[in-house]
């Protein structure tokens, strides 16, 4: 008869470790002993964190923590989407930067057909007066004005995700978890003892303590001390799919009262720079390829972008792109960076953590560590990572930029999977390439479905249209169908009216965050 797991050891703190501790403690109803060992000397990765919209529903709601409660503890701000700046051909000197948005949530439909298809028909006929993003989404014009996705009384106006300080999140979840029985040990793990079957029996710390467990969770980051080192699980390198392998990052004080309600992804000579605005400051980092420039050259380019002097403290980061061949080996599961890493172009870092936790609980084993459960978990993680890798890679090989060797290599030298090639061909043929979503609520209603089909059709449309790539045809239903066209024109007009109405009512993101974090109104505290 199988015996239940009674003792779990988590190696590593940070966002990954404490999200794991809190999630498993809740899922197992506090009936399993959970110990987390973290070092005081190891720095966590990340300077400002950006997320995707399902974080509240599938993580914080699961823990029973309201949005307004945790946001106040982590300097939280809003993210309605991602603004991609200069990802197309370099503009003429006198022209402003080119940009487009990947806006969260669904796009309206007309008689079951996404509104982008109606816009495409106008575009192909030369009748489109505005770009797809500003025509099909009221949010685009509101983001241009840095308006908050919530009214002053806290009522929601736009669909959104979040920006916050990842170190504050780890600290908050540490307190939340330890108050509910998770044991915290501050020490450095120096070795692991394996049993005759190759599974982990215990870990040994620098102070000479030995810790046994039934299940070990590796949250040790890029060091991958248990999965990679102790169990010697091979790492599947994917640097031929994505060329960037380094970053330089820092936190920068705001120089005005403008706080953008979106993440920026700014194309650079040898990669791109993120900007995640929060109240008082923003996190930023230049993700680049060391194959095409030196670290010093990248640092200078990053400093010039934000006009930073040499006194600005900078974090230099080296990373590997790819995943462990298996994220669950024997009695050890890798969560977070110890399992996989994908550059944060679409903010998938935290998603990989809580999606893996969801799958672990769904495939929860006994002490026998049933192979079928383990194999299914690994297959799910592989699919999740590879699908996200393909979507991120698509941003690179569809760009029209060829102004540096880095951008030329991204167009012509990448290894591209058959699955993303097929999706691009479907898109060009005017077909759906992902889950066709008409409403944001539907998109986030079932996590298991979303896990397998994360990027909806609207996401591909946002990115590909932003790159100047459009389907070659519209659905035949729209051809010579005056009634459908007339109905869609009404929706387009409604979107523009809604944008004007909301622009006159919404506060700036800066104003709302001052109200919210300053606790000036009860309404803003309780949304």
């Amino acid at each position: 008869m199988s015996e239940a797991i009674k003792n779990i050891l988590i190696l590593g703190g940070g966002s990954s470790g404490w999200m794991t501790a809190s999630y498993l403690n809740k899922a197992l109803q506090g009936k399993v002993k959970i110990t987390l060992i973290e070092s005081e000397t190891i720095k966590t990765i990340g300077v400002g964190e950006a997320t995707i919209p399902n974080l509240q529903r599938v993580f914080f709601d699961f823990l029973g923590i309201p949005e307004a409660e945790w946001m106040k503890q982590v300097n939280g701000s809003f993210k309605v989407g991602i603004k991609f700046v200069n990802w197309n051909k370099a503009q003429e000197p006198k022209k402003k930067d080119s940009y487009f948005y990947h806006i969260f949530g669904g796009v309206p439909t007309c008689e079951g057909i996404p509104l982008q298809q109606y816009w495409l028909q106008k575009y192909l006929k030369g009748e489109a007066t505005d770009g797809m993003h500003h025509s099909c989404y009221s949010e685009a014009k509101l983001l241009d004005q840095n308006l908050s996705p919530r009214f002053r009384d806290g009522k929601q106006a736009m669909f959104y995700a979040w920006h916050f300080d990842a170190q504050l999140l780890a600290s908050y979840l540490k307190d939340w978890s330890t108050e509910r029985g998770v044991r915290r040990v501050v020490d450095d793990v120096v070795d692991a003892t394996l049993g005759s079957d190759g599974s982990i029996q215990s870990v040994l710390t620098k102070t000479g303590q030995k810790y046994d467990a039934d299940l070990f969770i590796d949250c040790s980051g890029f060091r991958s001390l248990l999965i990679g080192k102790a169990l010697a699980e091979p790492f599947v390198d994917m640097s031929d799919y994505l060329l960037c392998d380094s970053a330089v990052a820092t936190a920068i004080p705001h120089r005005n009262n403008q706080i953008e309600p979106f993440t920026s992804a700014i194309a650079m000579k040898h990669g791109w720079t993120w900007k995640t605005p929060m109240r008082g400051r923003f996190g930023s980092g230049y993700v680049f390829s060391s194959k095409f420039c030196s670290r010093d050259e990248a640092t200078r380019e990053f400093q010039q972008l934000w006009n930073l002097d040499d006194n600005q403290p900078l974090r230099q980061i080296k990373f590997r792109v790819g995943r462990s061949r298996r994220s669950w080996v024997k009695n050890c599961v890798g969560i977070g960076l110890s399992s996989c890493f994908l550059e944060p172009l679409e903010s998938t870092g935290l998603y990989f953590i809580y999606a893996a936790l969801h799958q672990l609980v769904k495939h929860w084993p006994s002490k026998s560590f049933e192979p079928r459960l383990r194999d299914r978990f690994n297959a799910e993680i592989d699919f999740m990572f590879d699908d996200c890798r393909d979507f991120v890679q698509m941003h690179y090989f569809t760009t029209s930029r060829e102004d540096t060797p880095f951008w030329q290599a991204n167009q012509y030298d990448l290894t591209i999977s058959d699955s993303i090639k097929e999706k691009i061909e479907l898109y060009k043929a005017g077909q759906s390439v992902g889950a066709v979503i008409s409403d944001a609520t539907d998109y986030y209603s079932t996590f298991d479905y979303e896990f397998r089909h994360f990027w909806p059709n609207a996401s591909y449309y946002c990115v590909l249209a932003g790159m100047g790539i459009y389907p070659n045809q519209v659905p035949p239903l729209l051809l010579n169908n005056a009634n459908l066209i007339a109905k869609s024109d009404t929706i387009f007009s409604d979107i523009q009216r809604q944008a004007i109405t909301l622009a006159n009512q919404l506060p700036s993101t800066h104003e709302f965050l001052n109200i919210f974090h300053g606790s000036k109104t009860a309404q803003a505290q309780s949304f």
Side-chain angles (χ1 to χ4, degrees), residues 61 70 130 293:
D61 283 352
W70 68 263
D130 213 341
C293 73

Side-chain angles (χ1 to χ4, degrees), residues 86-159:
N86 288 340
W87 281 73
N88 286 317
K89 287 182 179 178
Q91 301 294 293
E92 297 176 11
K94 293 183 180 180
K95 290 186 177 181
K96 65 179 181 179
D97 294 342
S98 66
Y99 71 93
F100 65 89
Y101 291 111
H102 174 191
I103 295 171
F104 294 139
V107 70
T109 63
C110 180
E111 297 298 322
I113 300 174
L115 200 60
Q116 303 105 318
Q117 299 283 18
Y118 295 90
W119 176 88
L120 175 64
Q121 186 176 52
K122 294 178 180 293
Y123 174 80
L124 294 176
K125 289 183 177 180
E127 298 174 356
T129 58
D130 213 341
M132 189 277 286
H133 307 83
H134 286 79
S135 297
C136 297
Y137 294 90
S138 60
E139 290 90 340
K141 287 183 171 62
L142 304 176
L143 297 187
D144 286 342
Q145 301 173 68
N146 296 330
L147 296 178
S148 167
R150 287 192 178 272
F151 294 97
R152 288 176 180 84
D153 64 0
K155 183 180 178 181
Q156 186 170 347
M158 291 181 267
F159 200 54

